[in-house]
Structures are given as C-alpha cells and as structure tokens.
Amino acid sequence: MPGIDTSRPFIPLNIAVMTVSDTRTPETDSSGDVLAERIEKAGHKLAARTIVSDDVQMIRNQLLAWIADDRIDIVISTGGTGLTGRDVTPEAFKSVYEKEIDGFSAIFHRVSFEKIGTSTIQSRATAGVAHGTYLFALPGSPNACKDGWDEILQHQLDNRYRPCNFVEILPRLQERQG
C-alpha cells in the first residue's frame, strides 16, 4: 500500500513558485498563494517566488536562472497551460527539459477528470527534469494547484512516501551514461 513511512526522517526541499500571468499581481495571485502555503505547511522551504508574463522567453529565462541556482531543487509554476494564444508555459518548459515526466500529466488529468470531467482536456500540465532540477507546470486556477499539490506533489516530494518518490532519485538526476 502506498503511504508515508514514519520511520524515515523528513527531508525538506527548496521549492520556487512561478506564476505565469499578464494580469496577476502579488495581491491577486491566489494560485501562487495556494502553492506557497502548501509548500511551507508540508515542511519545505519556499526558496523563491515570482510572477512572469505570458512570454516564452521570459518564462524560459526565469527557469534557466532557477535551474542554475544550486539552492533550488524544484520549480512549480501555475498558469499559462491552456489553449489560448497567450498560453505558452508548456512550450517554455519543454524547451529546457532534458527529460519529460510523461506520467505527471497523465496522473494530473486523471485526478482532474474526477473533479471537472472532460474539461481537464483543456489543460497542458507538464513536468520534466533539467540539470538536476524538477520542473512542474500546473494550470492557473487555485483548485488545479490544490489538486496538483494534494494529489501528486505532496507525496512525490516527500522522501518518506513509499514505494518510491522523486526525492530519492534527486541526487542521481545528473548522472551520465558511462
């Protein structure tokens, strides 16, 4: 049965949150607030937080800066994963991935389908790895952020979660084939 192995000590991670939006401000960033609150409640450190415009190069630049920062283990974004012309978050994320985590999108859609039915098809939530940093892009609604964190990320970003989790392999993400 999957679950938390309480015999293991918790390992806090440094997590950055990026809100992708042309309209949100620090005062109106409810989705970023949801993620920040859940990150800290889980015992992790909110390492950085910013709002970036819906622009591939601006998103990419912020990702590259955080990927290069050894103090950041994980990046979680919210917003820009839809189908409109301004929704470019997946394109920016995929441009920096070394490996895509296909299962993240599949599980996110499964969780989302249980809550909003076929409307989940309009999301392009994505995840991947770049230079030893995990990257997760969630939709911009607070409920989607709650679902992504509560149903997937809180478990996979907890080293005590069994049978396996992302934290266990974090030190090995930059291994190269000999």
Side-chain angles (χ1 to χ4, degrees):
M1 245 2 238
I4 298 293
D5 178 353
T6 57
S7 70
R8 296 173 58 121
F10 177 76
I11 299 172
L13 300 171
N14 297 314
I15 304 175
V17 173
M18 177 193 322
T19 298
V20 178
S21 175
D22 289 333
T23 59
R24 295 207 182 157
T25 66
E27 296 76 33
T28 62
D29 183 16
S30 55
S31 295
D33 289 343
V34 163
L35 290 171
E37 289 165 10
R38 279 168 161 70
I39 287 164
E40 291 177 330
K41 184 178 178 188
H44 298 295
K45 180 181 179 207
L46 182 62
R49 183 173 172 188
T50 193
I51 298 173
V52 177
S53 293
D54 291 285
D55 176 87
V56 171
Q57 196 57 50
M58 291 179 75
I59 299 165
R60 182 177 157 75
N61 288 346
Q62 185 62 66
L63 287 172
L64 291 172
W66 281 345
I67 290 165
D69 187 336
D70 291 336
R71 296 166 297 175
I72 295 177
D73 303 308
I74 315 289
V75 175
I76 305 173
S77 75
T78 174
T81 64
L83 300 173
T84 73
R86 298 288 299 155
D87 292 324
V88 296
T89 301
E91 288 77 11
F93 271 60
K94 289 177 181 187
S95 76
V96 301
Y97 288 166
E98 292 168 352
K99 294 185 178 184
E100 190 165 2
I101 305 170
D102 298 327
F104 177 80
S105 180
I107 297 299
F108 178 81
H109 284 293
R110 182 177 157 264
V111 167
S112 184
F113 181 79
E114 296 298 319
K115 309 228 174 145
I116 64 170
T118 59
S119 296
T120 189
I121 204 165
Q122 294 185 35
S123 166
R124 297 183 300 137
T126 185
V129 177
H131 303 288
T133 304
Y134 285 112
L135 309 172
F136 302 96
L138 295 169
S141 78
N143 284 336
C145 290
K146 289 174 187 173
D147 292 345
W149 180 267
D150 295 349
E151 303 295 332
I152 306 169
L153 295 176
Q154 80 167 335
H155 305 297
Q156 284 298 300
L157 299 181
D158 188 329
N159 66 293
R160 303 169 301 168
Y161 188 78
R162 295 281 163 251
C164 58
N165 58 73
F166 287 138
V167 184
E168 293 173 316
I169 60 172
L170 187 59
R172 297 179 51 215
L173 292 179
Q174 296 190 68
E175 289 178 344
R176 297 289 176 226
Q177 195 171 16

